[in-house]
Amino acid sequence: MTTIRTAAVIGSGVMGSAIAAHLANVGIRCLLLDMVPDSLSPEEEKAGVTLQHPNVRNRLAANAIAKLKTTNPAPLYSEAFAQRITPGNLDDHFGRLAEVDWIIEAVVENAAVKQALLQRIETVWKPGTVVSSNTSGISINAMAAGCGPELRKHVLGTHFFNPPRYMKLLEIIPGRDTDPAIVASMVRFGEKTLGKGVVVAKDTPNFIANRIGTYGLLVTLQEMAAKGYTVEEVDAVTGPAMGRPKSATFRTLDLVGLDTFVHVAQNVYDNVTGEAERAAFEVPELLRGMVARGWIGEKKGQGFYKKIKGPGGSEIQALNLATMEYAPSRKVSGAAIEAAKAAKGAGEKLKALLAAGDRYSELAWNVLKRVLVYSAERLGDIAESIADIDNAMKWGFNWEFGPFETWDLIGVARSVQRMENEGLTVPAWVKEWLAAGNGTFYRRAEGAIFYASGGSFAAQETRPERISLKALKEQGKVVKTNPGASLIDIGDGVVCLEFHSPNNAIGSDILAMIQQSVDEVRRNWRGMVIAGEGRHFCVGANLMLMLMEAQDEEWDTIDFMIRQFQSSMMLLKSLEKPVVAAPHSMTLGGGVEACLPADRIVFSAETYFGLVETGVGLIPAGGGCKEMALRQSKLLAGVPDADLQPLMNKVFETIAMAKTSTSGHDAARLGYMREADSVVVNPDFRVYEAKRQVLDMDAAGYVKPAEEKFRVVGDTGKAVLQMAAYTMKRGGYISDHDFLIASKLAHVLSGGDVPEGTLVTEQYMLDLEREAFLSLCGEPKTQQRMQHMLATGKPLRN
C-alpha cells in the first residue's frame, strides 16, 4: 500500500489551497507552490523590498494560506493546522517535489498547461511518488501522454469536490497505464485518511458526477424553455421535493458560477462524438448571454437571483427570463408541491410529487426520466457499476438517491413502460434486466447489498470499518427498542445505543432506554457505544415539553424530568463496562451531556459540539456544568496549591456564551476534549472506531474509576465570574436577563456559597444545577426565549 505522509499541491487558487487545507486537516504536511509574482504589491513597495525577496516570491502561496484562516465556511478543522502547510514557488522550490509522497496539480483547467507541468514534474520525480491532477474533466491519458512509461504508472486523476473539507465525493480516475495497485491504494487512502466517499471513474469527459449533473441541469433548462416555467417554479420542483438540495437548480448554478458551468458543459460538447449527446450538452444562448453580461452568480452579486439590500432588510429577487429583469422572488404553490411538502421522507416526497398530475409533476417527470435513461446509457462508459454512479451523485451533488436507486423507488417496470409510451428509447440492458425477471436494480440479502451488474446481481463491496446500524436492525440485531432509542448488537460483545426520536431530542423514551441499556450491558456485554445515523447526533432535551410544563407551572414535573436526566447520565458514568460516545454533526446541550459521562469520545471531524442552553435562557442541568467543573479540577489533581480560577473562567465563558466547536478537533479549544478522546475523519467509520476502543479497554482489564470529591473555586471564584458578567452588562454587551442567567451559571460552576478549595461531590453539583435550572424555567423571559427558539430556530435576545 502506498504510504503518504507528505504532499505537494501545485496551484494555490481556491481549489489548490483548499485541498492543501484538507491534507493539513488529516495530519499530512504539505508544500503549496505557485508562480513567482512579476510585480510588487503596494504593501511590498511601501516596505521597500524587491522582487527577489523570498516573501515576495512566495507571496501567492503565503497569501492563500493566510486566507484559509478567514474563509467561510472554514477549510481548516483548526486554524492551527495551517502551520502544516509550507508556502513556496515554482522556481525556487520545484526540486522539493522529490521529497514528498504525493504531488497534486491544481492549476488552470487547460490541457496544454497541465501536460507541460507533468513533463516538468517528471524531471524531478522520485520513483514511487503518486502524481495526480485535480481536474474536473480533462483527460488523464491526454495529460500524461508526453510522459515516460514509469511515471504514467503513477499518474491518475483525483477530483475533489468543492469545498474539499465538506464535500464527501472524491473521484479517482486512472489512466490507461496507471498501476491498478496504486489505484486500489489511493481508494483506500481516500476513504480512511481523507475521509472521503471514493468512486472510480473512467477517463471520459467530466467523469461521473459532473457528467450526469450537467446533463440533468441542461435538460431542466430545455424543459423550462419549452413549457415556460419560471426560475422560482423550477427551483420549487427540483429541490427537496425531488430529493435534491434546497439550492435546487438555479441557486446551485449561482453558487457554482454560470461561467464555470458553461466551461464544464462545453468540455463535454467538445469531447463526445454522438450527435444526440452533443446536442444535449449544447450551452443555451440564455446562459451565454448571462455570462456575457457578467451575471454569473453569487461571486458577482447576481445571476438567476439577486439580493437587494434595503432599509428594511434584504430582499431576494429572481430573474424573469422573458424580460431579463429582476423582480421579488415569489412563493410557488401547487398540488404536486404541497403534496411533496406533506409527505414524510425523501422517497415519499418524490412519489407524491410525481403522482399529483399537475404541471409541476410533469416538470419533475420530464426531467427525471431523461436523467435516468442517460445514466443507464452511460453505464460502462463513465463508470463500471451503477453503485459508483449512484454514490457519485449522492456524494457530489447531495442527492438523496442516485439515479438507479431513484428508479427502484418509483418502480422500474412501470416507469420504463411509461418512458417508452412517451417515445423515449430505454437502453437495451435495462429491458433485458426486466425481461430476466428482475424488478429492481438493488436488493438486500443477509445484511449485504447486491446491485445489477452484467446480467446478474453482484455484491457491493463492504469495508469492515463501515458498521451500518440500519443494516444491523434489518438483520434483527436489535436487543432492546422503544420509540426514542434502540440498543443494537454491533458484534464482538459490544452494543450500540442509538437515539432516533424526532431531531434525536432527549425525552423520557431515550432516558428509559439508557437506564435499560446500562442494566443490559452490565449483565451481558463487554461494553457500549453511543452513536447514531440521523442527520444530527442530538440537538438537546425536548424543549417543547419543558416549555409546556413551565407555562403550566408544573414545577414538580420539571424537577422529576431533570432528576431523571441526571440519574440516567450518572448511570452511564457508573457502568462497570467501557462506554464510548461517537457524536457527529449537531451535538448540542443534552446531546453533549449524553457524551460527557463516557470513558472516551470519538468525535466525527464534522461535529459541532457545545452546551448551548443559555441561548434559550437556561443553564446545562443534565450534568454538563458538573462535568466541566470536575474536568478542570482533575487537570490540577496532585497540585493542591494550583490556581483553578483561570480554568473555570474559560469554562464559564464557553458555557455562558453558548460557544460551539466548529469541528471535532475544535472541541479541544473549548475544553470538551480530553487526552484520551479522538477524532475520526470518515463519518462512516465512527461506530467501528468507537467499538474498537471499547474492545481495547475491555481487553486491557477495564476498571471503572472510583468517584471522588473534587475541588471548586467557591464563593470567591463565583465573585470573579459574576464580576466578569457584570462588566459585560455595564458595557451593553449583555441584557439584564443574560446577566441573571450568567449569575446562576457562576453560582453552579463555582460550587455555590462554599469556601474556595472546598471538596464537593458530583451529586452536590447536580443539585445546584437542578435548582438553578428550575428557577430559570419560571422566568417569563426564559419562556419567551424557549418559545422563540421553537418557532424560529434562532435565539432571542431579551
Side-chain angles (χ1 to χ4, degrees):
M1 178 175 175
T2 303
T3 300
I4 294 176
R5 298 187 184 89
T6 57
V9 177
I10 302 174
S12 66
V14 173
M15 280 303 295
S17 60
I19 291 169
H22 192 59
L23 296 178
N25 282 337
V26 300
I28 296 172
R29 295 205 166 269
C30 183
L31 180 65
L32 182 62
L33 303 182
D34 212 316
M35 297 169 63
V36 175
D38 57 9
S39 62
L40 295 173
S41 69
E43 293 79 12
E44 290 164 345
E45 288 180 348
K46 188 175 179 180
V49 297
T50 70
L51 286 171
Q52 300 310 310
H53 194 284
N55 289 349
V56 175
R57 296 176 70 80
N58 296 340
R59 185 216 308 155
L60 295 180
N63 285 353
I65 295 168
K67 190 175 180 181
L68 292 173
K69 300 176 184 179
T70 59
T71 300
N72 188 25
L76 293 162
Y77 292 149
S78 167
E79 284 187 19
F81 293 172
Q83 297 172 3
R84 297 170 179 169
I85 309 172
T86 302
N89 67 75
L90 290 168
D91 288 358
D92 302 330
H93 306 108
F94 201 80
R96 291 191 60 187
L97 297 179
E99 302 170 9
V100 302
D101 303 315
W102 182 18
I103 301 168
I104 309 164
E105 73 79 11
V107 300
V108 62
E109 282 285 274
N110 179 292
V113 172
K114 290 177 181 290
Q115 188 176 56
L117 179 58
L118 282 187
Q119 291 172 15
R120 186 181 173 196
I121 288 171
E122 189 169 22
T123 64
V124 298
W125 177 70
K126 176 185 67 180
T129 300
V130 176
V131 179
S132 72
S133 170
N134 181 63
T135 175
S136 60
I138 295 175
S139 169
I140 305 302
N141 288 318
M143 209 182 297
C147 299
E150 193 57 33
L151 179 61
R152 290 201 305 270
K153 290 181 183 178
H154 295 78
V155 172
L156 69 163
T158 48
H159 180 208
F160 289 83
F161 272 60
N162 191 32
R165 167 183 165 178
Y166 301 95
M167 293 301 292
K168 184 171 182 176
L169 181 61
L170 172 62
E171 290 179 321
I172 287 184
I173 310 100
R176 66 173 63 94
D177 298 320
T178 309
D179 184 345
I182 289 175
V183 176
S185 181
M186 289 301 291
V187 168
R188 186 76 176 130
F189 172 80
E191 291 176 337
K192 189 165 185 180
T193 305
L194 300 180
K196 296 298 177 186
V198 181
V199 298
V200 178
K202 297 290 191 73
D203 188 19
T204 55
N206 290 16
F207 314 128
I208 303 174
N210 277 345
R211 182 79 165 264
I212 292 175
T214 303
Y215 177 86
L217 203 147
L218 289 169
V219 163
T220 304
L221 287 170
Q222 292 162 15
E223 188 66 18
M224 177 186 192
K227 303 291 175 59
Y229 294 101
T230 66
V231 166
E232 299 100 314
E233 286 178 321
V234 170
D235 274 358
V237 171
T238 60
M242 284 185 72
R244 310 285 170 80
K246 289 181 181 179
S247 55
T249 296
F250 294 111
R251 291 189 191 280
T252 297
L253 260 177
D254 280 356
L255 286 167
V256 169
L258 274 66
D259 53 339
T260 301
F261 177 80
V262 167
H263 172 80
V264 171
Q266 189 68 43
N267 186 56
V268 181
Y269 181 86
D270 291 340
N271 289 285
V272 296
T273 55
E275 285 304 312
E277 189 173 13
R278 290 191 82 225
F281 281 91
E282 188 169 358
V283 178
E285 283 304 314
L286 166 70
L287 292 187
R288 293 197 187 278
M290 290 178 69
V291 171
R293 294 185 187 207
W295 297 0
I296 59 174
E298 283 207 352
K299 55 190 171 184
K300 290 296 185 180
Q302 66 186 102
F304 285 97
Y305 292 96
K306 179 167 68 170
K307 182 184 287 188
I308 303 295
K309 293 183 179 179
S314 297
E315 177 186 68
I316 302 297
Q317 296 190 344
L319 185 63
N320 182 322
L321 300 185
T323 65
M324 295 304 286
E325 295 177 348
Y326 291 93
S329 179
R330 67 180 186 86
K331 186 177 180 180
V332 177
S333 183
I337 292 170
E338 298 310 313
K341 286 180 181 178
K344 300 294 184 183
E348 294 306 310
K349 286 182 183 297
L350 176 59
K351 288 192 276 190
L353 178 70
L354 294 174
D358 65 5
R359 64 192 298 266
Y360 298 131
S361 291
E362 182 183 12
L363 171 61
W365 169 248
N366 286 342
V367 169
L368 184 62
K369 69 180 181 182
R370 292 179 63 183
V371 171
L372 298 185
V373 167
Y374 184 73
S375 299
E377 289 173 342
R378 297 276 67 82
L379 180 64
D381 176 25
I382 62 175
E384 286 294 344
S385 76
I386 65 169
D388 275 344
I389 292 176
D390 280 348
N391 286 334
M393 301 316 298
K394 290 188 292 182
W395 298 339
F397 279 74
N398 293 319
W399 290 9
E400 290 284 349
F401 309 100
F404 297 95
E405 291 172 331
T406 300
W407 222 330
D408 280 358
L409 184 71
I410 65 174
V412 183
R414 182 171 63 252
S415 59
V416 165
Q417 183 63 57
R418 181 178 174 185
M419 291 171 186
E420 292 190 313
N421 290 343
E422 294 172 359
L424 208 58
T425 301
V426 176
W429 77 263
V430 173
K431 293 194 286 185
E432 290 167 2
W433 181 253
L434 289 171
N438 300 300
T440 61
F441 292 112
Y442 289 91
R443 67 176 175 85
R444 288 180 178 271
E446 300 176 357
I449 300 174
F450 297 82
Y451 63 90
S453 176
S456 62
F457 279 105
Q460 192 163 323
E461 185 179 4
T462 59
R463 301 274 190 223
E465 296 95 335
R466 277 200 190 94
I467 295 177
S468 166
L469 300 180
K470 179 182 177 182
L472 289 169
K473 286 188 285 189
E474 289 173 353
Q475 295 171 49
K477 298 292 185 179
V478 176
V479 179
K480 291 181 178 292
T481 189
N482 69 24
S486 296
L487 191 66
I488 304 160
D489 178 0
I490 58 174
D492 300 310
V494 181
V495 283
C496 179
L497 176 61
E498 177 195 27
F499 302 160
H500 47 64
S501 64
N503 290 320
N504 293 351
I506 296 176
S508 58
D509 286 339
I510 287 179
L511 296 177
M513 184 53 62
I514 289 173
Q515 294 169 7
Q516 293 174 36
S517 297
V518 167
D519 184 57
E520 172 68 23
V521 172
R522 179 177 287 125
R523 289 185 288 109
N524 299 316
W525 303 86
R526 297 171 67 181
M528 179 165 66
V529 168
I530 305 174
E533 292 177 337
R535 182 182 174 193
H536 301 300
F537 175 76
C538 178
V539 297
N542 189 327
L543 191 61
M544 172 68 79
L545 181 61
M546 201 71 66
L547 175 62
M548 290 170 58
E549 299 295 353
Q551 289 174 333
D552 291 341
E553 299 186 358
E554 296 289 348
W555 310 123
D556 287 345
T557 301
I558 296 176
D559 182 73
F560 173 77
M561 291 163 62
I562 300 305
R563 287 179 186 273
Q564 186 185 27
F565 198 138
Q566 291 180 342
S567 65
S568 299
M569 298 306 106
M570 288 300 289
L571 279 173
L572 275 176
K573 187 168 185 177
S574 63
L575 179 59
E576 302 88 349
K577 306 289 181 72
V579 177
V580 177
H584 70 285
S585 192
M586 293 294 182
T587 304
L588 306 175
V592 171
E593 291 176 308
C595 295
L596 294 180
D599 297 289
R600 295 180 187 174
I601 301 177
V602 175
F603 293 90
S604 172
E606 298 301 338
T607 305
Y608 315 112
F609 197 86
L611 294 166
V612 296
E613 286 84 351
T614 59
V616 289
L618 299 168
I619 69 160
C625 294
K626 177 262 296 182
E627 282 296 320
M628 293 305 288
L630 170 60
R631 288 185 178 193
Q632 310 321 304
S633 182
K634 282 186 173 181
L635 287 174
L636 300 181
V639 192
D641 295 329
D643 188 1
L644 183 58
Q645 190 68 50
L647 297 179
M648 292 311 302
N649 293 347
K650 183 176 179 182
V651 169
F652 175 71
E653 178 182 317
T654 296
I655 300 177
M657 297 182 69
K659 291 184 178 181
T660 302
S661 73
T662 57
S663 69
H665 293 85
D666 189 52
R669 177 180 61 88
L670 299 180
Y672 290 123
M673 185 184 292
R674 300 159 297 187
E675 190 174 342
D677 297 335
S678 58
V679 180
V680 64
V681 180
N682 192 322
D684 296 341
F685 294 179
R686 277 182 307 111
V687 177
Y688 172 88
E689 178 58 23
K691 173 186 169 182
R692 186 191 66 76
Q693 294 198 24
V694 166
L695 293 173
D696 283 352
M697 284 188 280
D698 178 65
Y702 177 82
V703 176
K704 172 60 66 179
E707 182 180 342
E708 297 179 0
K709 290 184 177 182
F710 61 96
R711 182 161 60 104
V712 293
V713 294
D715 47 10
T716 57
K718 171 180 160 182
V720 172
L721 300 180
Q722 288 183 327
M723 179 55 70
Y726 181 72
T727 302
M728 293 283 285
K729 176 174 173 287
R730 284 292 300 270
Y733 296 106
I734 62 175
S735 68
D736 288 345
H737 193 55
D738 290 326
F739 179 70
L740 173 66
I741 299 162
S743 297
K744 299 278 187 182
L745 178 63
H747 179 75
V748 175
L749 287 175
S750 63
D753 297 319
V754 297
E756 180 183 2
T758 298
L759 298 177
V760 300
T761 65
E762 293 188 46
Q763 187 58 53
Y764 169 81
M765 293 292 284
L766 290 173
D767 291 342
L768 291 181
E769 283 187 5
R770 191 176 66 257
E771 290 163 7
F773 188 94
L774 276 166
S775 68
L776 287 169
C777 279
E779 295 287 335
K781 287 189 176 181
T782 283
Q783 293 178 20
Q784 291 169 14
R785 290 189 178 195
M786 295 165 75
Q787 194 154 10
H788 190 268
M789 177 62 75
L790 288 166
T792 67
K794 297 178 181 179
L796 172 68
R797 290 292 305 276
N798 60 352

